Amino acid sequence: MRKHGKPETDFQGNYYKDNTEFQKQGPITKVVMNHDTSKMVSSIHEALVKCGAHDGMVPMIEDGTITNIQSSGVREKIGEAISAGKLKGLAIMRSHGGRIRAIQTGETVIDISFIGAPTCDDYGNCKGVGGKSDCGVLSYSFVDGNHANKVVAVTDCLVPFPNYPADINMTKVDYVCVVDQIGIPEKIASGAAKPTTDVRKLMMADYCTQVVVNTPYFKDGFAYQTGVGGASIASAASLGKIMKERGIKMGFAVGGMSKGMCDLLDEGLVGKLLDTQDFDTSAVESVKRPNHHRISAGAYANPFNKGAFVNKLDYVVLAALEIDVNFNCNVVVGSDGVITGAQGGHPDAAMGAKCTIVISPLVQGRIPAICSNVTTVTTPGESVDIVVTDYGVAVNPARQDLLDALKKANCVPLKTIEELRDIAYSITGEPEPVQFGDRVVGIIEGRDGTIMDVVRQVKPFTFKEA
């Protein structure tokens, strides 16, 4: 993957590039007319050779082989290495929609894309189901298939031609490589993607449900997205009960799917699931059902489309590592300054939805989640409408309509965001600001390509005593 140019300017607001025009970047395409041409290769190494892999394209941070990283975010050892300044270049972190924008505009050029396919035929038709390592959908690979100069499908289940309907079409694929195993489906479900029994999270789930059902967009046909945290899953389940009681059905749900949302589909409470990622094996199986549809990540969230599904959302329920008194959210950098998460679709859905709800415990460990200033801004406060915590609910002052609705309903304990911060600090003490060096090691891109924030090389982190 090669980088052309850098973000052009600082973030200028959510609608800075609305109605602008651009020419989409197209891939270099090799013509295949001979019916005897085989796309099969014996190994990844052979695929690399055939694709013309060369210096500047691939592997290792500390030895300097990998010099730049572009990603939604990174975790654990890679995040620690970048935060410590071991990456020679920059880590550029984008939202799901922002990644597709960067590829389509030509800001990022992909030389070779390797697409893991649970099933594939010898001509490159790929699907996310039907094999031994099913993942459900291949939504994030769709843009790679469309725009990478060379595309290699890697599968552990070669099936007869044609493998249809295909998620990634043979017209996009140069080579097919069969390996022993591409993944472990049982590990798709993380601990976060399971129902919670935590009393605190259940309380937040109830607050979240009450916020949804007592605001103006909760009516028949409403559109919804939720995350896979325990509180979010519990909120979706309790929302389903109220929908039954009131005779209200959800028009569609979009984004990553888990068992809870698939259960609502089975109960007839949701018209359609528009799936970009499956968080458990139940969701993987559900993809095979009517009204559970695969969509590309571009259709989901690309801000430079002629319209994305996030723009049609009524509600989105999201999580965050930190939220500050200006409603800015941080989902990438830990309060110790170390890169530990990913933007994912957070900025995309937050901007698109009519009502964006961010749900978080007031204190996580000994760390205040509500603070004066987030360590790094990943989603701007103008995109966030309501913050739900276990100590109360804060409404962005810009949304007086929502505040009035919740006051009238008297359904949740309302507090200002400053009050929530003060309660958090009374429990943990006010944290010392993270000590950063001068060197910029990462850029948080806004979904439109402007610079939302930067990440600097980290120094040790300490707390003031309470």
Side-chain angles (χ1 to χ4, degrees):
M1 185 181 289
R2 291 178 280 127
K3 180 76 168 61
H4 287 196
K6 292 183 179 179
E8 60 179 58
T9 186
D10 291 341
F11 179 66
Q12 301 290 308
N14 277 343
Y15 300 103
Y16 170 56
K17 293 192 178 181
D18 191 34
N19 285 322
T20 59
E21 295 180 343
F22 74 102
Q23 181 71 45
K24 286 185 179 180
Q25 182 268 343
I28 297 169
T29 303
K30 181 180 179 180
V31 177
V32 177
M33 298 174 69
N34 188 337
H35 64 264
D36 289 330
T37 300
S38 172
K39 294 186 179 183
M40 299 299 298
V41 294
S42 60
S43 65
I44 299 291
H45 181 271
E46 184 184 352
L48 284 166
V49 172
K50 284 182 174 289
C51 288
H54 56 268
D55 188 38
M57 294 169 69
V58 236
M60 314 311 140
I61 291 175
E62 292 197 23
D63 67 5
T65 306
I66 292 177
T67 57
N68 293 276
I69 290 176
Q70 297 178 48
S71 175
S72 178
V74 291
R75 292 179 171 85
E76 299 177 347
K77 295 296 182 184
I78 297 176
E80 291 170 11
I82 295 169
S83 298
K86 294 181 179 179
L87 184 69
K88 288 186 176 180
L90 287 171
I92 298 179
M93 286 159 280
R94 301 185 174 103
S95 68
H96 289 324
R99 175 179 185 262
I100 295 157
R101 172 205 51 76
I103 292 169
Q104 288 190 343
T105 60
E107 182 183 339
T108 294
V109 176
I110 303 174
D111 293 304
I112 308 172
S113 175
F114 290 88
I115 296 176
T119 59
C120 187
D121 61 35
D122 67 346
Y123 224 43
N125 292 301
C126 305
K127 288 173 68 173
V129 294
K132 62 182 181 181
S133 303
D134 287 359
C135 64
V137 296
L138 300 177
S139 301
Y140 297 120
S141 301
F142 192 85
V143 69
D144 300 76
N146 276 347
H147 292 274
N149 290 330
K150 299 290 183 183
V151 176
V152 181
V154 182
T155 188
D156 56 11
C157 185
L158 193 69
V159 298
F161 179 90
N163 187 28
Y164 252 63
D167 295 347
I168 308 292
N169 195 277
M170 64 189 182
T171 60
K172 315 295 183 184
V173 176
D174 295 275
Y175 300 105
V176 177
C177 180
V178 179
V179 297
D180 292 337
Q181 189 170 32
I182 62 169
I184 304 172
E186 293 75 22
K187 292 195 175 183
I188 289 175
S190 66
K194 296 176 182 177
T196 184
T197 56
D198 185 295
V199 174
R200 182 175 61 160
K201 290 181 180 178
L202 290 172
M203 180 191 302
M204 290 190 295
D206 181 62
Y207 288 166
C208 185
T209 300
Q210 290 302 315
V211 165
V212 170
V213 302
N214 287 289
T215 43
Y217 313 113
F218 185 65
K219 53 191 175 185
D220 203 45
F222 75 99
Y224 189 78
Q225 178 183 331
T226 188
V228 292
S232 297
I233 292 173
S235 177
S238 61
L239 185 63
K241 294 177 183 177
I242 296 175
M243 288 165 62
K244 283 182 183 177
E245 292 169 1
R246 299 192 187 181
I248 290 176
K249 292 185 179 180
M250 193 184 298
F252 72 86
V254 67
M257 297 296 160
S258 58
K259 183 178 184 299
M261 197 57 69
C262 296
D263 288 345
L264 294 184
L265 178 68
D266 291 342
E267 293 172 34
L269 294 174
V270 184
K272 290 179 174 63
L273 298 185
L274 306 174
D275 193 342
T276 60
Q277 183 178 4
D278 294 317
F279 289 114
D280 55 37
T281 52
S282 295
V284 171
E285 284 300 310
S286 177
V287 171
K288 303 169 187 176
R289 300 172 192 172
N291 290 325
H292 189 147
H293 302 283
R294 305 166 179 86
I295 63 169
S296 71
Y300 164 59
N302 180 8
F304 279 22
N305 272 347
K306 295 180 180 180
F309 278 112
V310 293
N311 298 345
K312 303 294 284 184
L313 280 168
D314 291 304
Y315 296 97
V316 63
V317 180
L318 301 166
L321 297 171
E322 297 175 321
I323 307 106
D324 69 22
V325 292
N326 294 308
F327 288 81
N328 296 312
C329 292
N330 166 29
V331 297
V332 170
V333 179
S335 54
D336 58 358
V338 176
I339 300 169
T340 189
Q343 290 193 60
H346 200 287
D348 302 308
M351 178 181 173
K354 294 184 180 73
C355 181
T356 296
I357 302 166
V358 176
I359 186 168
S360 175
L362 192 70
V363 175
Q364 306 194 60
R366 285 282 297 168
I367 308 298
I370 312 297
C371 55
S372 296
N373 295 287
V374 293
T375 306
T376 306
V377 178
T378 49
T379 297
E382 67 179 277
S383 295
V384 178
D385 300 305
I386 297 174
V387 172
V388 173
T389 76
D390 45 336
Y391 280 78
V393 174
V395 179
N396 192 323
R399 295 303 306 269
Q400 187 64 42
D401 56 330
L402 299 180
L403 181 57
D404 289 345
L406 294 177
K407 281 182 176 178
K408 181 179 179 181
N410 193 27
C411 56
V412 291
L414 291 169
K415 290 183 167 51
T416 66
I417 194 74
E418 291 83 4
E419 286 173 331
L420 290 177
R421 176 208 51 199
D422 293 344
I423 296 169
Y425 285 1
S426 73
I427 296 169
T428 66
E430 182 176 349
E432 292 280 1
V434 181
Q435 298 300 305
F436 291 107
D438 293 330
R439 185 190 164 201
V440 173
V441 296
I443 292 175
I444 306 294
E445 266 193 11
R447 64 194 298 257
D448 64 357
T450 56
I451 299 175
M452 184 65 63
D453 208 340
V454 298
V455 182
R456 298 183 185 276
Q457 187 171 339
V458 73
K459 290 183 177 180
F461 177 78
T462 56
F463 267 97
K464 288 180 180 176
E465 290 299 322

